[in-house]
Amino acid sequence: MPFFEVEQKHDDFMQQSRIWVFFGAAILSLIAGYVNVVMLSFFAVPVSHMSGAVSHLGIVLTDVGLKDLLLVTSIVVGFFSCALVSGIILRDTSFRMRRRYGAILLLEGALLLVTMFLALEGLKAAVPIAAMACGLQNAMASSYRGLTLRTTHVTGIVTDLGALLGNRLRGREVKSWKFGLLLCVLIAFFIGGMGGALLLSLFGMWALGAASGLCLISGVTVIFIAMAAGVAGT
């Protein structure tokens, strides 16, 4: 199919489903921003993106701190392993409304619940479990309608916004929904981080229960929507 026909199909779809797409992406990004701030504030390590974790790993290796080495390594391994699991379950990297996505969200909610109880006991095992939840989520929607989409970190989002704006300034036509979707993800991540900081100060690590509950509710909702729509590919 010619490229312009693919672009037109994407545009037509976005005209019909923009609200749901933006809402879903915002929810996922909000959860990730929330979880990352809660874990970063409590354990002083990031769990939603691997750039900081790998850099931290390099620092730890030079200091030869075995405990920190094991912790940071577990973050990377946890994130990678559940991204792998997500890929196995979903079998592709393009987002479609299917029951498998609901199952992924339910699993993420369960992992965050486990994270909360481990953190309440002061156990650092909570950190790799949270990273597993983020890896699971980030692999859910690696691409959407030709647009690379990550919901657990914003480096790529800011990069894409800059590149798209540069293209627009050079006179190339760039669809407005692409700007809107990326901005939606970026703003939601920021708001989630603010919410995480606020609720952590009020409730301590019980605050993770809100993220877990939102994942579980979202998972059940996606499953019911997919079933009601009779979407193939469970």
Side-chain angles (χ1 to χ4, degrees):
M1 180 180 294
F3 177 76
F4 72 90
E5 292 185 18
V6 174
E7 283 285 287
Q8 186 59 51
K9 287 184 65 177
H10 292 171
D11 292 341
D12 292 343
F13 178 85
M14 287 303 297
Q15 292 299 323
Q16 300 170 6
S17 308
R18 181 174 301 179
I19 294 177
W20 290 109
V21 172
F22 279 42
F23 181 74
I27 289 294
L28 291 175
S29 188
L30 185 144
I31 291 170
Y34 183 99
V35 170
N36 193 55
V37 165
V38 171
M39 297 301 292
L40 185 59
S41 300
F42 195 80
F43 288 105
V45 287
V47 296
S48 71
H49 56 278
M50 292 298 98
S51 299
V54 173
S55 295
H56 195 181
L57 182 60
I59 295 171
V60 169
L61 283 172
T62 60
D63 290 339
V64 199
L66 182 58
K67 288 185 178 179
D68 284 345
L69 175 62
L70 291 175
L71 177 63
V72 178
T73 301
S74 70
I75 293 172
V76 177
V77 172
F79 191 99
F80 172 80
S81 63
C82 272
L84 177 67
V85 169
S86 184
I88 292 172
I89 294 174
L90 299 177
R91 295 191 291 189
D92 63 41
T93 58
S94 297
F95 177 78
R96 298 180 182 87
M97 183 66 77
R98 295 179 300 178
R99 279 176 276 179
R100 291 194 185 103
Y101 282 90
I104 291 291
L105 286 167
L106 291 177
L107 181 54
E108 181 182 355
L111 287 171
L112 290 175
L113 198 61
V114 172
T115 299
M116 183 185 74
F117 286 116
L118 290 174
L120 287 170
E121 296 297 324
L123 299 175
K124 287 191 174 182
V127 176
I129 302 298
M132 290 170 67
C134 290
L136 198 66
Q137 176 183 309
N138 201 47
M140 283 178 62
S142 296
S143 66
Y144 187 79
R145 300 281 162 177
L147 188 66
T148 299
L149 187 63
R150 304 292 187 186
T151 59
T152 69
H153 59 275
V154 296
T155 303
I157 299 298
V158 175
T159 300
D160 289 343
L161 280 169
L164 288 174
L165 181 58
N167 288 337
R168 174 71 67 86
L169 292 174
R170 285 296 301 269
R172 177 186 172 190
E173 182 183 2
V174 179
K175 303 301 182 181
S176 60
W177 67 262
K178 293 186 177 182
F179 283 109
L181 182 56
L182 292 172
L183 279 172
C184 184
V185 171
L186 179 61
I187 293 169
F189 191 93
F190 175 73
I191 293 173
M194 289 180 60
L198 176 62
L199 292 187
L200 179 65
S201 68
L202 294 174
F203 304 110
M205 291 308 287
W206 286 104
L208 278 179
S212 173
L214 187 53
C215 281
L216 295 173
I217 292 171
S218 299
V220 171
T221 301
V222 168
I223 289 173
F224 275 113
I225 291 174
M227 291 176 65
V231 177
T234 60

Short mmCIF file of all heavy atoms in Angstrom, two decimals, residues 31 47 52 76 81 92 95 118 135-136 138 145 161 170 175 190 229:
data_model
loop_
_atom_site.label_atom_id
_atom_site.label_comp_id
_atom_site.label_asym_id
_atom_site.label_seq_id
_atom_site.Cartn_x
_atom_site.Cartn_y
_atom_site.Cartn_z
N ILE A 31 0.42 6.75 35.01
CA ILE A 31 0.78 5.67 35.93
C ILE A 31 2.30 5.56 36.04
O ILE A 31 2.86 5.46 37.14
CB ILE A 31 0.19 4.33 35.47
CG1 ILE A 31 -1.34 4.35 35.63
CG2 ILE A 31 0.79 3.16 36.25
CD1 ILE A 31 -2.03 3.16 34.97
N VAL A 47 12.86 3.57 38.13
CA VAL A 47 12.43 2.24 37.69
C VAL A 47 11.71 2.26 36.34
O VAL A 47 11.52 1.21 35.73
CB VAL A 47 11.50 1.57 38.73
CG1 VAL A 47 12.25 1.31 40.03
CG2 VAL A 47 10.25 2.42 38.98
N GLY A 52 18.95 6.00 33.27
CA GLY A 52 19.47 6.30 34.60
C GLY A 52 19.98 5.06 35.30
O GLY A 52 21.01 5.10 35.99
N VAL A 76 17.44 -3.46 35.77
CA VAL A 76 17.58 -3.64 34.32
C VAL A 76 17.02 -5.00 33.89
O VAL A 76 16.28 -5.11 32.91
CB VAL A 76 19.05 -3.50 33.90
CG1 VAL A 76 19.21 -3.76 32.40
CG2 VAL A 76 19.59 -2.12 34.26
N SER A 81 13.03 -8.33 31.34
CA SER A 81 12.32 -9.61 31.37
C SER A 81 10.83 -9.44 31.15
O SER A 81 10.20 -10.22 30.42
CB SER A 81 12.58 -10.35 32.69
OG SER A 81 12.08 -9.61 33.79
N ASP A 92 3.10 -8.62 18.86
CA ASP A 92 3.52 -7.56 17.94
C ASP A 92 3.70 -6.28 18.73
O ASP A 92 3.42 -6.24 19.92
CB ASP A 92 2.53 -7.37 16.78
CG ASP A 92 1.16 -6.94 17.25
OD1 ASP A 92 1.08 -6.10 18.15
OD2 ASP A 92 0.15 -7.43 16.71
N PHE A 95 -0.16 -1.17 18.60
CA PHE A 95 -1.30 -1.19 19.51
C PHE A 95 -2.60 -1.48 18.79
O PHE A 95 -2.91 -0.89 17.78
CB PHE A 95 -1.43 0.15 20.24
CG PHE A 95 -2.62 0.20 21.14
CD1 PHE A 95 -2.57 -0.41 22.37
CD2 PHE A 95 -3.77 0.83 20.73
CE1 PHE A 95 -3.68 -0.38 23.20
CE2 PHE A 95 -4.88 0.88 21.56
CZ PHE A 95 -4.83 0.27 22.79
N LEU A 118 5.85 -5.00 49.58
CA LEU A 118 7.28 -5.17 49.85
C LEU A 118 7.89 -3.86 50.35
O LEU A 118 8.70 -3.85 51.28
CB LEU A 118 8.00 -5.63 48.57
CG LEU A 118 7.72 -7.06 48.11
CD1 LEU A 118 8.38 -7.31 46.75
CD2 LEU A 118 8.23 -8.07 49.13
N GLY A 135 8.45 -2.23 32.67
CA GLY A 135 8.87 -2.89 31.44
C GLY A 135 7.70 -3.53 30.72
O GLY A 135 7.59 -3.48 29.49
N LEU A 136 6.82 -4.12 31.50
CA LEU A 136 5.61 -4.74 30.95
C LEU A 136 4.78 -3.70 30.21
O LEU A 136 4.32 -3.92 29.09
CB LEU A 136 4.81 -5.34 32.10
CG LEU A 136 3.74 -6.38 31.81
CD1 LEU A 136 4.38 -7.66 31.28
CD2 LEU A 136 2.98 -6.69 33.10
N ASN A 138 5.75 -0.58 29.14
CA ASN A 138 6.41 0.15 28.07
C ASN A 138 6.41 -0.63 26.75
O ASN A 138 6.40 -0.04 25.68
CB ASN A 138 7.85 0.48 28.46
CG ASN A 138 8.41 1.62 27.65
OD1 ASN A 138 7.79 2.64 27.49
ND2 ASN A 138 9.62 1.44 27.14
N ARG A 145 0.06 3.69 14.90
CA ARG A 145 -0.24 4.39 13.66
C ARG A 145 0.99 5.07 13.07
O ARG A 145 0.96 6.23 12.66
CB ARG A 145 -1.35 5.42 13.90
CG ARG A 145 -2.63 4.78 14.41
CD ARG A 145 -3.42 4.13 13.30
NE ARG A 145 -4.40 3.19 13.82
CZ ARG A 145 -5.25 2.52 13.05
NH1 ARG A 145 -5.22 2.67 11.75
NH2 ARG A 145 -6.10 1.68 13.58
N LEU A 161 8.87 15.25 19.50
CA LEU A 161 8.23 16.55 19.41
C LEU A 161 9.16 17.56 18.73
O LEU A 161 8.73 18.33 17.86
CB LEU A 161 7.86 17.06 20.81
CG LEU A 161 6.57 16.50 21.41
CD1 LEU A 161 6.47 16.87 22.88
CD2 LEU A 161 5.35 17.02 20.65
N ARG A 170 10.27 23.38 8.46
CA ARG A 170 10.88 23.27 7.13
C ARG A 170 9.83 23.15 6.02
O ARG A 170 10.16 23.02 4.85
CB ARG A 170 11.82 22.06 7.08
CG ARG A 170 13.14 22.25 7.80
CD ARG A 170 13.98 23.36 7.16
NE ARG A 170 14.27 23.09 5.76
CZ ARG A 170 15.35 22.45 5.33
NH1 ARG A 170 16.24 21.99 6.20
NH2 ARG A 170 15.56 22.26 4.04
N LYS A 175 0.95 15.87 10.73
CA LYS A 175 -0.41 15.79 11.23
C LYS A 175 -0.48 16.31 12.66
O LYS A 175 0.33 15.96 13.51
CB LYS A 175 -0.92 14.35 11.18
CG LYS A 175 -0.87 13.75 9.79
CD LYS A 175 -1.70 14.55 8.79
CE LYS A 175 -1.68 13.91 7.40
NZ LYS A 175 -2.45 14.70 6.43
N PHE A 190 4.16 14.08 33.60
CA PHE A 190 4.47 15.13 34.57
C PHE A 190 3.42 15.19 35.68
O PHE A 190 3.76 15.26 36.87
CB PHE A 190 4.56 16.47 33.84
CG PHE A 190 4.77 17.65 34.76
CD1 PHE A 190 6.00 17.86 35.36
CD2 PHE A 190 3.73 18.53 35.01
CE1 PHE A 190 6.20 18.94 36.20
CE2 PHE A 190 3.92 19.61 35.85
CZ PHE A 190 5.15 19.82 36.45
N ALA A 229 -16.86 -5.40 21.69
CA ALA A 229 -16.65 -5.08 20.28
C ALA A 229 -16.39 -6.31 19.45
O ALA A 229 -16.32 -6.23 18.21
CB ALA A 229 -15.46 -4.11 20.15
#
